[in-house]
Amino acid sequence: MFWTGAALAQERAASDPKVQVEQLQQLRKEVDELRSRLVDAEARAAQSEQLLDQLGQLNEQVTALRTRLGEALAQADQRALERRAAIETVVAVQQQLISGDTTDATARLAAAEQILPPLARARVEAARHAIENRDLANARWYLFLAAYEAQEGR
């Protein structure tokens, strides 16, 4: 094998105990640095896992809230449909009373009354009492007010 001057000097330096100690210290320093970087990387990985877990929990909460919101909106839609039907009943009974026909008027109003908001409900109750007393003009007036109050949500 052919040795150049630089290779020969390197071979001698490698066999020198002082150089070997320096190289060993350098290697230990590099190993310590790599260990430190590994510990930092593991800590970041653990933190990332924790953040992913928290994100997963937040996603579950968002999903649950969306479900509850959907249910609440469906219930609100259902109540709105029921309220519209009750208002239509009130208006229909009001029209029915114009001709003096009181057939089933109080029963239909009693069913509609349960769905209406408080002030409209009070107006329907007053109309039912007026019908029972054969005061159809006041009954129609109370039903007009009840329909208005129900549309306003009162």
Side-chain angles (χ1 to χ4, degrees):
M1 177 178 227
F2 177 72
W3 292 90
T4 63
L8 188 59
Q10 190 176 13
E11 183 67 25
R12 282 188 193 145
S15 62
D16 183 10
K18 184 177 179 184
V19 171
Q20 288 177 351
V21 169
E22 288 175 2
Q23 288 176 341
L24 183 59
Q25 288 174 344
Q26 181 64 28
L27 288 173
R28 284 185 181 154
K29 187 177 179 183
E30 288 176 16
V31 167
D32 288 344
E33 185 179 319
L34 289 173
R35 282 185 182 146
S36 175
R37 290 172 58 191
L38 178 61
V39 167
D40 288 346
E42 288 173 344
R44 284 193 305 273
Q47 186 179 20
S48 293
E49 282 186 41
Q50 185 180 22
L51 289 173
L52 285 174
D53 288 344
Q54 289 174 348
L55 184 59
Q57 290 172 356
L58 288 174
N59 279 335
E60 289 173 6
Q61 290 175 357
V62 167
T63 299
L65 287 173
R66 283 182 178 156
T67 300
R68 287 178 47 203
L69 177 61
E71 292 169 354
L73 289 173
Q75 289 174 353
D77 287 345
Q78 181 62 35
R79 284 192 305 270
L81 288 173
E82 291 170 354
R83 182 176 289 170
R84 271 183 279 206
I87 292 170
E88 288 172 5
T89 298
V90 167
V91 171
V93 170
Q94 181 188 21
Q95 294 298 315
Q96 174 185 340
L97 294 179
I98 290 173
S99 67
D101 182 10
T102 61
T103 307
D104 295 331
T106 56
R108 290 173 61 201
L109 290 174
E113 182 179 350
Q114 303 305 313
I115 298 166
L116 298 173
L119 189 54
R121 189 178 314 137
R123 305 284 191 199
V124 169
E125 184 178 347
R128 284 191 306 119
H129 289 300
I131 292 169
E132 290 168 0
N133 293 327
R134 307 287 302 154
D135 185 0
L136 301 186
N138 274 329
R140 288 193 329 265
W141 174 247
Y142 286 128
L143 292 177
F144 167 79
L145 293 175
Y148 174 77
E149 299 296 348
Q151 287 172 351
E152 294 296 314
R154 302 185 285 200

